[in-house]
Amino acid sequence: MRKIQVSGVDPAFHRDIELISGLFFPKIKVSIEPHQAEATVHFTVQEGERVGVRVTLTDPERDQTWHATHEDALYREGVPSQRRKQVKRAVNHALLQVLEKATGVRQPWGILTGVRPTKLLHGMLLEDVPLVEAKRVLERDYSLMPYKIDLLEEIIRRQKIALPDLYTLDQAVSLYIGIPFCPTKCAYCTFPAYAIRGKNGSVEEFLAGLHEEIEAVGAWLDRHNLPVTTIYFGGGTPTSITAEQLEELFIRMKAAIPSYDGVRELTVEAGRPDTLDKEKLDLLKRWKVDRISINPQSFEEDTLKLIGRHHTVEETLGKYRLAREMGLHNINMDLIIGLPNEGLDTFRQSLAVMEELRPESLTVHTLSFKRGSHMTRNPDKYRVADGEEIGRMVQEAREWTQSMGYVPYYLYRQKNILGNQENVGYAFPGEESLYNIIIMEERQSIIGLGCGAVSKIISPGTGRINRWPNPKEPQAYIDTYREQTEKKLAAFDEAYGVGTRGRV
């Protein structure tokens, strides 16, 4: 099903209707023209003391019709926006029910289509809603499956242990350093990632601009007397650049950032094993990097070739062992559920390898067909598991990590994610990535430096969020970094102009 005609509700609800329908029928579009649609969805909405919604889904091609209803008590009658939100939620509930009847598919996250379900639970707890009631709200008002609610509860509990001051971090910031280069681009990737020897701008010119941006941000932090909680080098693959270039970045950071020695966590993604060697690992050790990533994604050689990783399984294992031998402690590894031609048996084999390696943290991603990726542009080339098998793999990951002593500590979801599942970060207790918690829960500003880095400007005391993206393409960054840095810091000035410590 690619197009449905919707009638009986405010057109402003059509976007939500499209998102929920897309959980069952990828790329589906809402139409108001009946002759263009393959099916029709008609709503009848009644408002009084309660809101009642009846929905009818008709599929002429199959000569079938399904019905569903949802009713909810209206409250805060004096707040029109609140009533409207409830009506929209009731419409979403009814739509979810009728689509589940028509397809036989249950959606584990109910009517939620956003990236950060943990924020919803955090928000209720901040409003002093008891946890038991908050869990009831998630099941009653959003139709989450109980096992997903239990997962959220466990993650929230773990986050508060890892970051006891999570709710009061807005008088500090974290830094993200975007290095946009990789040996090759993976088929599923849409991150800023350009061939290190490509024609998208000189690495040296990019780094020169990044050095200036680091100095400007350091001076801004000094003026505002703002400490830095975490620093995260991402990309791309930061270890694609030479050891000398990487060390120069550390030297510049230490000189420019006033609170550098007090940073709680320094992470460097070394996700591509083919970018690591003894010299770089020794450099990371000397600079007291707290956490690195060495990401296999899969332990199947054919899969690695198909997705464009250009490294072998043995190379991943060898670089992991080398990092251990050289004294690097907190190592994260990523696995992706649902890669082409991989099913439950393949995933179990990957978990068996992980059981031997026992990295301190394991991030289990579910494959997402991201807009603009090679995989999305060429879907016929890649055969992936169906939603039911994806769900079994996600559940098996949860059970396996529990048996191995890992705890879930952060979670996020993406559009077009297989089986409408999620990505979960697991870690041994005490080894959680603080940066990952901070970026997902949006309790603190993150200043993004370098290519494709997105700053999140969170106004202290208000929680208002403003996103400020740096250019993704290296040459565009090289051409505009001075102007972009000035404008970005002006936006931070505006957000931190009142109530910031040290502000004159």
Side-chain angles (χ1 to χ4, degrees):
M1 195 178 293
R2 290 169 296 183
K3 192 168 287 187
I4 54 172
Q5 183 214 357
V6 173
S7 59
V9 290
D10 188 331
F13 294 174
H14 284 184
R15 178 56 179 159
D16 280 84
I17 291 170
E18 194 170 81
L19 288 172
I20 290 174
S21 301
L23 301 177
F24 300 86
F25 304 103
K27 300 182 181 179
I28 197 168
K29 295 295 181 185
V30 166
S31 170
I32 59 174
E33 299 295 335
H35 66 274
Q36 295 180 351
E38 298 171 42
T40 62
V41 179
H42 180 72
F43 294 90
T44 302
V45 180
Q46 294 180 328
E47 292 185 58
E49 291 185 1
R50 306 179 71 83
V51 57
V53 178
R54 177 177 173 82
V55 59
T56 300
L57 169 62
T58 303
D59 184 344
E61 187 174 309
R62 295 164 63 183
D63 192 26
Q64 285 187 279
T65 300
W66 300 269
H67 305 280
T69 60
H70 184 79
E71 190 176 83
D72 197 5
L74 286 173
Y75 62 97
R76 297 183 188 176
E77 294 188 20
V79 185
S81 63
Q82 189 65 38
R83 288 179 64 90
R84 180 180 175 80
K85 185 182 293 186
Q86 276 192 276
V87 171
K88 181 168 73 170
R89 195 165 63 203
V91 166
N92 292 346
H93 269 287
L95 177 64
L96 181 74
Q97 290 176 49
V98 81
L99 288 169
E100 287 184 338
K101 285 182 180 180
T103 63
V105 174
R106 291 292 307 276
Q107 295 297 342
W109 290 100
I111 64 172
L112 288 186
T113 57
V115 172
R116 295 175 173 82
T118 45
K119 279 192 69 179
L120 183 59
L121 183 52
H122 273 303
M124 286 189 278
L125 297 179
L126 278 167
E127 292 177 357
D128 296 321
V129 177
L131 178 60
V132 172
E133 175 58 23
K135 292 173 68 175
R136 274 200 295 265
V137 169
L138 291 173
E139 186 169 8
R140 181 191 67 218
D141 294 353
Y142 297 94
S143 292
L144 267 68
M145 301 288 276
Y147 65 93
K148 295 300 185 187
I149 298 173
D150 291 343
L151 175 60
L152 293 182
E153 179 187 1
E154 190 173 353
I155 288 171
I156 295 290
R157 185 167 60 246
R158 196 71 234 166
Q159 289 178 341
K160 288 183 174 180
I161 294 171
L163 273 172
D165 55 347
L166 176 62
Y167 292 163
T168 57
L169 280 174
D170 60 357
Q171 290 294 336
V173 302
S174 285
L175 304 182
Y176 176 87
I177 317 297
I179 310 294
F181 303 107
C182 271
T184 58
K185 185 145 183 167
C186 300
Y188 53 78
C189 182
T190 57
F191 285 108
Y194 298 88
I196 190 76
R197 297 178 182 84
K199 300 177 181 179
N200 294 287
S202 157
V203 176
E204 290 74 17
E205 285 183 290
F206 161 74
L207 290 173
L210 179 56
H211 294 162
E212 283 194 39
E213 191 178 9
I214 289 170
E215 290 169 5
V217 168
W220 184 88
L221 291 169
D222 193 30
R223 287 197 304 273
H224 288 266
N225 193 26
L226 282 171
V228 174
T229 307
T230 66
I231 300 175
Y232 191 101
F233 283 75
T237 306
T239 46
S240 293
I241 61 177
T242 67
E244 292 78 8
Q245 290 167 335
L246 190 56
E247 180 148 39
E248 182 64 22
L249 274 178
F250 285 131
I251 292 169
R252 299 271 182 165
M253 291 286 293
K254 185 174 176 62
I257 307 303
S259 60
Y260 182 87
D261 291 332
V263 168
R264 299 189 206 180
E265 176 186 85
L266 173 59
T267 297
V268 175
E269 284 191 0
R272 292 286 293 262
D274 42 343
T275 66
L276 286 175
D277 55 28
K278 281 189 175 181
E279 185 180 13
K280 288 178 185 174
L281 288 168
D282 178 66
L283 170 69
L284 299 176
K285 176 70 175 175
R286 284 192 290 105
W287 278 92
K288 299 179 180 179
V289 172
D290 298 293
R291 184 174 180 272
I292 66 170
S293 294
I294 300 175
N295 297 332
Q297 314 298 20
S298 170
F299 288 107
E300 283 290 316
E301 298 286 0
D302 289 344
T303 302
L304 294 177
K305 291 175 184 175
L306 183 60
I307 64 177
R309 288 292 283 184
H310 287 220
H311 63 80
T312 64
V313 171
E314 188 53 44
E315 192 167 10
T316 301
L317 298 174
K319 296 299 173 62
Y320 177 86
R321 294 183 186 114
L322 180 61
R324 285 286 189 227
E325 291 168 7
M326 298 187 70
L328 286 153
H329 168 64
N330 192 338
I331 301 177
N332 173 75
M333 303 190 91
D334 285 2
L335 288 178
I336 299 179
I337 286 173
L339 285 171
N341 303 323
E342 293 198 353
L344 185 56
D345 289 343
T346 312
F347 186 62
R348 285 172 176 163
Q349 292 168 15
S350 291
L351 292 179
V353 177
M354 284 294 181
E355 190 165 343
E356 294 180 16
L357 300 177
R358 293 183 67 79
E360 282 73 21
S361 61
L362 168 64
T363 307
V364 181
H365 299 269
T366 305
L367 182 65
S368 170
F369 277 81
K370 301 174 185 176
R371 185 175 63 182
S373 72
H374 179 77
M375 193 172 288
T376 302
R377 294 195 307 270
N378 302 274
D380 295 339
K381 184 179 176 182
Y382 302 96
R383 184 182 63 82
V384 298
D386 61 23
E388 184 178 345
E389 188 169 17
I390 294 294
R392 289 202 300 270
M393 285 189 270
V394 169
Q395 184 59 27
E396 193 134 333
R398 177 117 165 86
E399 293 168 358
W400 182 89
T401 51
Q402 286 177 324
S403 70
M404 291 295 108
Y406 292 96
V407 293
Y409 73 94
Y410 87 108
L411 176 152
Y412 69 102
R413 304 179 66 236
Q414 294 170 286
K415 290 181 181 178
N416 303 319
I417 195 167
L418 292 181
N420 190 26
Q421 293 290 338
E422 68 276 343
N423 307 311
V424 181
Y426 297 94
F428 291 136
E431 306 288 4
E432 302 87 355
S433 164
L434 305 185
Y435 175 86
N436 283 339
I437 297 173
I438 288 168
I439 193 170
M440 285 305 150
E441 306 315 327
E442 298 182 320
R443 304 297 309 171
Q444 180 186 76
S445 289
I446 294 175
I447 304 179
L449 304 90
C451 258
V454 178
S455 296
K456 287 188 178 180
I457 308 172
I458 301 177
S459 301
T462 71
R464 288 194 304 270
I465 300 174
N466 180 25
R467 290 166 56 87
W468 191 283
N470 278 8
K472 288 185 176 183
E473 198 269 328
Q475 192 59 54
Y477 175 86
I478 292 165
D479 294 340
T480 64
Y481 69 85
R482 288 193 178 113
E483 176 186 356
Q484 290 287 341
T485 301
E486 184 178 343
K487 288 180 178 179
K488 175 172 62 186
L489 293 181
F492 271 97
D493 270 332
E494 185 176 349
Y496 283 77
V498 179
T500 303
R501 294 177 300 169
R503 177 71 170 166
V504 179

